[in-house]
Amino acid sequence: SYELTQPPSVTVSPGQTAKITCSGDKLGHFYASWYQQRPGQSPVLVIFQDNKRPSGIPERFSGSASQGTATLAISGTQTMDEADYYCQAWDSGAVIFGGGTRLAVL
Amino acid sequence: QVKLQESGPGLVKPSGTLSLTCAVSGGSVSSEDWWSWVRQSPGKRLEWIGEIYHSGSASYNPSLKSRVTISVDRSKSQISLNLTSVTAADTAVYYCARDLGIAVAGTARFDPWGQGTLVTVSS
């Protein structure tokens, strides 16, 4: 079955750039979206169609994709960016999500 | 601003049917959007269940298709989910979300999400 693979955790220092990867055979062919989920809250869309930001999402969030990999980058990381991040794409038959990455800002 | 609110029983017995409703406010279920159900297991994994258009056209996750029905009630501005023959593996937080793309076209993107409702399958 088609899977999206993310690192379980990423740690970054405040003000630095965090990068979270998502690996999957069909990334680059199908669009990737990214969601932020803070503890106790619902997911929030932060990137769609590989590199587009929804209205209201800070410019420090950006996305990119190439064959087999999608990447979420957060520049100038702040403590408020601590959260779980999930990638999402399409397989032949279903929307699928990555397992999630816990971002720690320390 | 579209808001979504899930509701339904928090406890369902094994082999029973899970039934949830999602109330849509601040927008119309008859818009050019699709309306999805997504669940999140206790281990935090997200799983897409399926989605529906206001015409009634629906698409489902193949892994759940035999047990799932999603419907729309335009008069009540509600989306509903029925999941039959539930087991403990169906215990999860269930979210409804608006899809600003189209799942079967590979352009799905979910925004916003409801607050979610926890459903536990247990006797």
Side-chain angles (χ1 to χ4, degrees), chain B residues 10-29:
Chain B
L11 181 64
V12 180
K13 294 186 185 303
S15 76
T17 296
L18 181 159
S19 297
L20 297 175
T21 298
C22 172
V24 179
S25 60
S28 172
V29 293

Side-chain angles (χ1 to χ4, degrees), chain B residues 18 39 64 67 83-92 94 119 121:
Chain B
L18 181 159
R39 67 183 182 180
L64 297 169
R67 299 193 291 130
L83 181 67
T84 62
S85 303
V86 297
T87 69
D90 295 309
T91 293
Y94 285 76
V119 178
V121 178

Side-chain angles (χ1 to χ4, degrees), chain B residues 8-54:
Chain B
L11 181 64
V12 180
K13 294 186 185 303
S15 76
T17 296
L18 181 159
S19 297
L20 297 175
T21 298
C22 172
V24 179
S25 60
S28 172
V29 293
S30 297
S31 65
E32 298 299 308
D33 298 316
W34 289 68
W35 304 91
S36 277
W37 286 96
V38 179
R39 67 183 182 180
Q40 187 167 36
S41 66
K44 300 298 185 182
R45 184 165 287 272
L46 291 167
E47 181 178 29
W48 178 73
I49 299 170
E51 66 182 25
I52 193 164
Y53 194 61
H54 63 78

Side-chain angles (χ1 to χ4, degrees), chain A residues 93-96, chain B residues 47-51 59-66 68:
Chain A
V95 173
I96 56 173
Chain B
E47 181 178 29
W48 178 73
I49 299 170
E51 66 182 25
S59 60
Y60 300 115
N61 190 325
S63 68
L64 297 169
K65 187 175 183 177
S66 64
V68 173

